[in-house]
Amino acid sequence: MKLLDILIDDLNLADERFRFSYHFDLKKLLISIKKIGLTSPVLVVKRKGLPYVVLSGWKRIFACLELSQVSISAFLIEEEDDSRAFFLSLYENWASRDFNILEKAEILLKLNGLMKDERKIVREFFPLLDIPANLSYFDIFLKIAHLDPSWKKVIFQKKMPLHLAQFLTEFNRDDRERLLPLILPLNMNKLKQFIEDLHELSKKTGESLKAILSTPEILSVSRSDNLSSLQKSEKIRSLVRTKRYPTLSSWKKSFETSIKKAQLSKEVDFDSPSFYEDGQFSVTFSLHDKEAFQKRIVKLEELGADESLFSLFEGFVDE
Amino acid sequence: MRAFFHCSKVLWMNDNRYFPEKVFVTKDCESFPITKRILNNTHHLPVEFITDSRELIADVLVSRDPVGEGKKLLLVTHQRGGYVKPCPCTPQYIGCNYFIINADLNCPLDCSYCILQLYLNNPLITVHANTSVLYRQLDDFLHKNRDRALRIGTGELGDSLALDHLTGRSSELISYFARHPNVFFELKTKTANIDKILEHKPPNNIVIAWSLNSDKISGEEEFGAPPVLERILAARLVSQAGYKVGFHFDPIIYHEGWADGYGEVIETLMGQIDRKKIAWISLGSLRFPPALKQVIQKRFPNTKKIYEEFISGKDGKMRYPKPLRQRLYQRLVHDLKKAGAGEIPVYFCMESKDIWLEVQKKAPRSKKEVEKLLTLRLGANENDF
């Protein structure tokens, strides 16, 4: 292993045979290089064509390019065998950081090409990558590796968990295209719920996403000029949720209607039982002194005489 | 009547009974009587004697479908832990004071909703052969509980009879419990594998029980299990031989035509079985830990039953919302009464006090009361509780 100072132009950046990281945030590294320079040389090997193929250090190289540097410190690794060179790159990175699901997917794609023996890959590398040692996960990661770059970017930016990324691979390309603008404005929790609901609705009804998202109600929302993209996503998410859980949604609506009818004051909160499972309604109110307390008591007495409120206790009938 | 076994995902049924593709025996179990019986009954199959089962299990766990692959292999080995345990039931719901014997692990049947799919330490069909330890542990356990009525069974981690033609396990257990009249021993099955049962003179404290479902659910979700009618006919033979029988409508699954579907099974059941022979009937609606959903999605991509509306119950398990569960139970209880099962104890498995009250108009104050409800009629002594 030799330490060299090489021209970045001499790196064959089109040769990505050892690359498994495609999405990075360079911000911190740029600041660090500006302040103290590059402290950790990249790893390269020699192959035909341009003299050097990058083994490890893509992020550092892109940061140096961003800073218009022309050369970079590199260790030249003398390794002719691609498999062994890849393992070197893999272990070098593995020792210093955790991989995200996109990197794991790329690693497995590369290993699949290099090793061919999938059981061996599962047994040797899945424990390193914190993946359950089971071939079905191999299939999932390979599908993720083949997703379009636009989706990979979303998975990276939203830090999407594996099962959501897996659901995405189960939608066809057209459906994914349709979904992309709808999920971009949503935060992670809402995005998770939206994709899960769509996935399950599609499984339950056998409908494609196109069919699910083409109801007149949803179309009128998506075509509205008065709504922002976030408002559209929120409304469509809510419509999909109602379609996925019609009974629970109708109970929620019925509860909210009853509360509205009772015209409760803002100081009193009336909560439904959790999933209507334990039958316990709760009433909470806040106060800061004796007088406020007495006022709440009077209000509660008024509520107790309100017949319309009693419909809440009659239970929810599954039609 | 439909064919005895409908299409299964894996072709491991032979002559309507389970035979594995290969038998593995850990060398320390070679000389046990149950091992010898298994080897005798599987003499036409490849057998491998192994020192340690861990490598074999790890190899199966790597496969795309460890549960499905595990069903093709029979492992005869030691039970390292305790054989006898209280039924774990579920937190926050009313239990029934049941005890379980973990004699065999996993099941050759392949029901989509099966909880065993989540227990992936060992996916192989496993027979624990060190039965002298089992009986020693049972002796201790029964001695400690000698002054009370007990209910105990083997159907928790596998079907009680699915392997019986290979192991003869039921004969051993029935003979053992025949000597303990204060214990009600239950063998729980979905099969019609009753030959060994019928070889015995039926002791009073043995209950052979069947898990039942609507024909539609049985056909669509219980792969490898015989149709419900076959189970009922097997129950009739067993009850005619003098055994008490039990029935478990569990899991009750909400589906199109569910009311008629379950109603027809109840009508057939009560038309075929002498009600005096029925020890108990349990009802339990579909419930599962959230993690099971992904396993079902993967192993049974065509099932739609997991996409109904579920809520997270007080125990964290996914359940139908209470009003729906109530409706399911009310209908089944109504149909049971209408079919003449009014005197038979009907209990709920892992249900809330509210459900008991709404459906049965009374609720047990404790799991002991459930136990009493089920065993007094079978001859348990009032002072045993």
Side-chain angles (χ1 to χ4, degrees), chain A residues 79-94:
Chain A
E79 177 55 73
E80 295 292 320
D81 182 80
D82 274 2
S83 300
R84 283 201 294 268
F86 183 72
F87 299 155
L88 223 144
S89 160
L90 176 58
Y91 279 102
E92 205 251 357
N93 280 279
W94 175 78

Side-chain angles (χ1 to χ4, degrees), chain A residues 134-135 139 200 247 318, chain B residues 62-64 293 309 325 327:
Chain A
N134 178 275
L135 279 165
D139 300 337
E200 294 193 354
T247 313
D318 176 36
Chain B
V62 167
S63 63
R64 284 191 166 74
K293 193 168 173 179
E309 291 182 74
R325 302 206 305 277
R327 208 172 116 204

Side-chain angles (χ1 to χ4, degrees), chain A residues 2 11 19 25 54 67 74 78 119 133 135 153 166 188 228 238 248 278 308:
Chain A
K2 286 182 207 159
L11 294 171
R19 183 176 179 186
D25 185 354
V54 181
L67 295 170
E78 284 164 12
R119 279 185 167 261
L135 279 165
K153 197 174 163 190
Q166 183 196 347
M188 189 57 210
S228 69
S238 167
L248 291 172
D278 60 11
S308 68

Side-chain angles (χ1 to χ4, degrees), chain A residues 56-96:
Chain A
S56 175
W58 289 91
K59 191 174 171 183
R60 282 163 277 173
I61 291 164
F62 287 122
C64 288
L65 280 172
E66 183 97 5
L67 295 170
S68 304
Q69 294 189 5
V70 289
S71 65
I72 190 166
S73 294
F75 282 117
L76 175 62
I77 309 290
E78 284 164 12
E79 177 55 73
E80 295 292 320
D81 182 80
D82 274 2
S83 300
R84 283 201 294 268
F86 183 72
F87 299 155
L88 223 144
S89 160
L90 176 58
Y91 279 102
E92 205 251 357
N93 280 279
W94 175 78
S96 57

